[in-house]
Amino acid sequence: MIAAGLPQRFKVGFDPNSQIFSLAGTIRPRSIDEIAESIHALREAIDAVRGVLYIDVKRLIQMNNTAFQAFIRVALDACRERSDLRLVIVTSSVVSWTTRMFRHLSTIEPQISVEVYDSMFYPGQDYFEDTSFIPILRAQTKLTWRHERTILPRHGMRPGIAVADICCGIGDFAVLAQKEFQPARIVALDHSKPSLAYARKVAAEFGVTGIEYTYGDASEMLLEDNQFDFVACRHSVQVFNQPELLLKELYRIVKPGGRVYITNEKNSHCLGEPRAQSIQWTYNELARLLSNFEIDVEFGPKSRRYLADTGFDDILVESFMVTNLDGDPQDFADIIAGWEKMFADMAMRHGEAPEFIERFRQGFRDHIFAALHPKGYAGWPIWAASGRKPL
Amino acid sequence: MGASVNKTTETAFEPLLQFDMEMEDFLSDWHHCDHVSSYLARMISHNRTDPVRHSNFFSSALNELLEVSFRGGTTDGKIGLSIYRQGATERVQLSFPCPPGQARFYREAVSKTRESDAQARYLDAISNDLAPSRESVLLDLAVNYDARLRLDEDAAPAITLIVDLPLEGMVS
Ligand SMILES: C[S@@+](CC[C@H](N)C(=O)[O-])C[C@H]1O[C@@H](n2cnc3c(N)ncnc32)[C@H](O)[C@@H]1O
């Protein structure tokens, strides 16, 4: 449903099955009359539920006092009329004012509680937001950039455009892209506060200015529609348990005619010589292990289908192999050493047997052995894909 | 704008931007409040630690102030808006013409934001009122944005609201 007078900027929805009433977008009416329909929808939702009604304001971007007071009037009156009713208001840690404004309701009315929605979006998130992940990201981007700097222009990257890097991690890609392609604007978003702090520190130390680092949830972004010519999301679609949700958000913020560029892996295709078999075994097991965390590290070749299903056209897909020959083999070995530690931790937490974990680790060590071997070869394949938002 | 503010604090505030518009034009469309606050918030936030979230937060506060001037202003004269910065704080200086005698109400509303019962008054307003009053909007700024408000009446019948918003520290 769309509020009268403010087409598309404000959305009200009610899902009777989950008992969730949601308010999203920007709503700044001059008078209550303009939002009468939405107010009525809240009243109806309250009448329709037994027990708890969740009021989801995670995606509420702006709401003036006129609208705020009108909505909370309905909520407060309903609590006064019905002692069985519980209202749970779900705000987002990203939108600073909503939590500060809505928190008062639980003081005023004991039947209302306010929850701040934050981490635990998906099962693997903790691992990716940990500081121990920082050196891995650093080592990965160092090697992938050698390939991507020549790949990117084919996917629409060029000087003077507005760029977003969603799930930017420690921001190295944004720094490199800014230096190489001089975009007019570059926004870099992530949900890891340690990674963002690190990114800002690095930028300050190297005198890099103009990258707008922002804390946010990629599946519920504060960024407005149709803002960017080029939206990158690297190694991250694969870590979401609902990739289609994330892709929808990327689609929303890119301009019509602009492109969304994603890179993903197919970890079971990581390879090395010598010791190919042990390496192969471990990466097959890795893909299986991560699927328990709803992370699909086999996503790479699925990019085309997912981009098409999201509504993109002119889809381009290519793959490249990061190898130990892309410069100093030690850089490749550093990546794998980081993986060994991180993924062995995950295997342990998942309750794998010690013998399994030992064999699992051995494959990574063999991959490192192959990388550093004077006649060895070690590879990590990546799929780069992009699609255009139709005009 | 005729603001007579303490010179030592004033020099410490660096001007970021200034905007004015004929009141008659401003009052011709309600959406000016939304458009001006969103646009200016984005301009002044680009070099904040988290530009996107700072801009969202700042726009929210600025819009309320613009709505106050929209609802309470008269058509003769200009609306003037200046934004300054000192460290983690932005100062919004908003002046607009209002009907004679109204200054007193702003004076009272502003002084209430500085009293120790500001929060209690705010809670009382939002739990009982159907629509926000000028007073509760200013209390909202004090309570939810940690704003410090002052009023300058030197250019009567125009009034100037001076609002310090320490949002940078709250965003990051
Ligand atoms: C595998 S890393 C990739 C980082 C970066 N793109 C790179 O290639 O170096 C995944 C990133 O997604 C971020 N992330 C996870 N969940 C997120 C969410 N809901 N919103 C935004 N970022 C998220 C993590 O913090 C992490 O930095």
Side-chain angles (χ1 to χ4, degrees):
Chain A
M1 188 199 302
I2 287 168
L6 291 169
Q8 285 164 14
R9 293 191 73 206
F10 181 60
K11 288 199 190 88
V12 171
F14 176 54
D15 175 2
N17 297 323
S18 52
Q19 310 211 140
I20 298 176
F21 180 81
S22 58
L23 296 171
T26 292
I27 177 88
R28 287 171 164 175
R30 184 171 182 177
S31 80
I32 300 176
D33 303 343
E34 289 169 43
I35 52 168
E37 233 181 281
S38 309
I39 300 282
H40 183 67
L42 175 58
R43 214 169 274 137
E44 282 193 331
I46 291 175
D47 289 343
V49 300
R50 299 178 154 272
V52 185
L53 176 69
Y54 293 90
I55 301 180
D56 173 354
V57 295
K58 294 192 304 254
R59 301 197 61 178
L60 190 54
I61 292 173
Q62 292 293 353
M63 173 182 261
N64 66 1
N65 271 296
T66 301
F68 175 71
Q69 239 157 282
F71 279 106
I72 68 167
R73 180 81 276 124
V74 173
L76 292 169
D77 288 349
C79 290
R80 285 166 199 167
E81 281 159 26
R82 274 176 57 187
S83 59
D84 70 301
L85 184 68
R86 296 281 173 279
L87 299 178
V88 178
I89 298 177
V90 187
T91 67
S92 153
S93 62
V94 174
V95 191
S96 316
W97 62 268
T98 48
T99 307
R100 295 183 66 94
M101 233 157 134
F102 282 97
R103 72 189 159 151
H104 303 296
L105 299 185
S106 59
T107 314
I108 298 173
E109 174 53 67
Q111 284 165 244
I112 300 182
S113 57
V114 180
E115 285 176 7
V116 184
Y117 163 92
D118 192 358
S119 49
M120 296 314 292
F121 302 131
Y122 55 83
Q125 184 139 8
D126 278 4
Y127 295 95
F128 295 110
E129 297 201 3
D130 197 85
T131 43
S132 60
F133 196 42
I134 290 175
I136 302 182
L137 293 182
R138 170 129 279 196
Q140 287 186 174
T141 308
K142 191 171 171 191
L143 291 194
T144 51
W145 180 252
R146 288 170 175 269
H147 300 264
E148 284 181 274
R149 69 185 287 202
T150 56
I151 288 174
L152 283 162
R154 292 201 279 279
H155 294 261
M157 178 69 100
R158 60 193 185 278
I161 60 173
V163 173
D165 183 21
I166 306 305
C167 300
C168 65
I170 56 168
D172 283 354
F173 177 80
V175 171
L176 291 164
Q178 195 202 36
K179 217 164 120 192
E180 181 86 15
F181 298 102
Q182 284 128 25
R185 181 182 184 205
I186 182 159
V187 171
L189 177 146
D190 202 277
H191 193 269
S192 162
K193 287 186 173 164
S195 290
L196 286 172
Y198 184 86
R200 291 191 181 106
K201 193 176 117 233
V202 170
E205 278 172 12
F206 288 87
V208 175
T209 54
I211 299 176
E212 300 176 36
Y213 289 107
T214 184
Y215 167 70
D217 172 8
S219 57
E220 312 253 354
M221 292 188 283
L222 264 186
L223 300 168
E224 287 157 45
D225 301 359
N226 309 323
Q227 287 283 300
F228 299 96
D229 301 288
F230 186 89
V231 175
C233 183
R234 302 172 51 266
H235 302 274
S236 298
V237 174
Q238 61 186 22
V239 306
F240 276 78
N241 57 346
Q242 287 174 288
E244 57 288 341
L245 261 186
L246 174 55
L247 285 164
K248 232 172 108 182
E249 270 293 270
L250 303 178
Y251 184 92
R252 183 180 68 75
I253 64 169
V254 75
K255 291 179 192 169
R259 298 187 74 89
V260 167
Y261 167 86
I262 59 176
T263 66
N264 291 285
E265 300 160 43
K266 183 170 174 76
N267 266 330
S268 66
H269 282 205
C270 281
L271 51 85
E273 278 294 345
R275 305 191 181 171
Q277 271 186 336
S278 156
I279 296 168
Q280 177 83 68
W281 183 86
T282 285
Y283 284 99
N284 278 330
E285 289 303 316
L286 175 61
R288 190 192 52 79
L289 170 74
L290 292 182
S291 70
N292 295 311
F293 294 84
E294 297 178 49
I295 294 172
D296 183 8
V297 285
E298 300 289 276
F299 191 94
K302 300 173 192 168
S303 305
R304 185 177 175 210
R305 168 162 58 89
Y306 272 92
L307 286 172
D309 289 351
T310 309
F312 290 101
D313 64 15
D314 189 28
I315 294 166
L316 302 175
V317 185
E318 58 187 296
S319 59
F320 62 95
M321 177 92 82
V322 170
T323 79
N324 60 331
L325 304 183
D326 292 349
D328 185 348
Q330 189 58 49
D331 289 339
F332 191 96
D334 288 346
I335 297 178
I336 312 304
W339 289 356
E340 178 193 340
K341 193 177 165 313
M342 174 169 175
F343 296 135
D345 266 9
M346 288 175 91
M348 217 126 67
R349 281 232 231 150
H350 187 248
E352 300 291 348
E355 312 79 65
F356 171 89
I357 292 172
E358 190 40 44
R359 186 173 172 199
F360 185 58
R361 294 190 90 127
Q362 190 55 48
F364 292 112
R365 291 180 196 138
D366 289 336
H367 206 194
I368 294 172
F369 181 81
L372 298 179
H373 192 285
K375 295 180 195 161
Y377 184 78
W380 168 38
I382 293 164
W383 275 258
S386 70
R388 184 183 61 178
K389 179 168 173 175
L391 282 167
Chain B
M1 221 172 281
S4 75
V5 257
N6 180 328
K7 282 277 177 281
T8 50
T9 41
E10 195 58 10
T11 47
F13 273 88
E14 163 207 0
L16 293 183
L17 61 83
Q18 222 165 342
F19 165 88
D20 59 40
M21 191 173 183
E22 290 299 331
M23 255 323 241
E24 198 168 348
D25 295 336
F26 177 63
L27 296 179
S28 68
D29 186 354
W30 171 251
H31 295 110
H32 283 145
C33 302
D34 174 40
H35 295 160
V36 171
S37 60
S38 305
Y39 182 70
L40 297 186
R42 212 171 304 150
M43 296 228 339
I44 64 112
S45 298
H46 74 95
N47 53 359
R48 280 306 195 187
T49 308
D50 190 325
V52 175
R53 293 175 62 236
H54 189 276
S55 165
N56 171 267
F57 205 8
F58 189 83
S59 163
S60 187
L62 184 57
N63 178 63
E64 293 300 335
L65 286 168
L66 290 171
E67 289 191 10
V68 165
S69 65
F70 194 100
R71 292 180 199 279
T74 52
T75 50
D76 45 332
K78 285 185 176 202
I79 175 172
L81 177 69
S82 307
I83 304 175
Y84 303 86
R85 174 177 296 172
Q86 182 191 46
T89 300
E90 263 84 22
R91 169 170 292 173
V92 175
Q93 208 163 299
L94 176 67
S95 60
F96 57 96
C98 65
Q102 284 286 307
R104 185 161 65 88
F105 296 109
Y106 289 97
R107 202 180 310 138
E108 280 166 16
V110 166
S111 81
K112 285 188 183 131
T113 65
R114 308 185 71 124
E115 281 162 22
S116 57
D117 63 350
Q119 166 122 354
R121 268 176 193 282
Y122 173 71
L123 292 186
D124 188 57
I126 63 169
S127 41
N128 297 304
D129 299 350
L130 189 60
S133 62
R134 169 167 45 197
E135 183 184 314
S136 69
V137 169
L138 298 184
L139 285 168
D140 161 49
L141 293 173
V143 170
N144 295 321
Y145 299 79
D146 295 352
R148 306 235 342 133
L149 294 93
R150 278 188 297 138
L151 186 71
D152 193 318
E153 299 173 47
D154 280 5
I159 60 155
T160 303
L161 285 163
I162 303 165
V163 183
D164 288 350
L165 294 159
L167 305 186
E168 171 74 343
M170 293 154 77
V171 168
S172 32

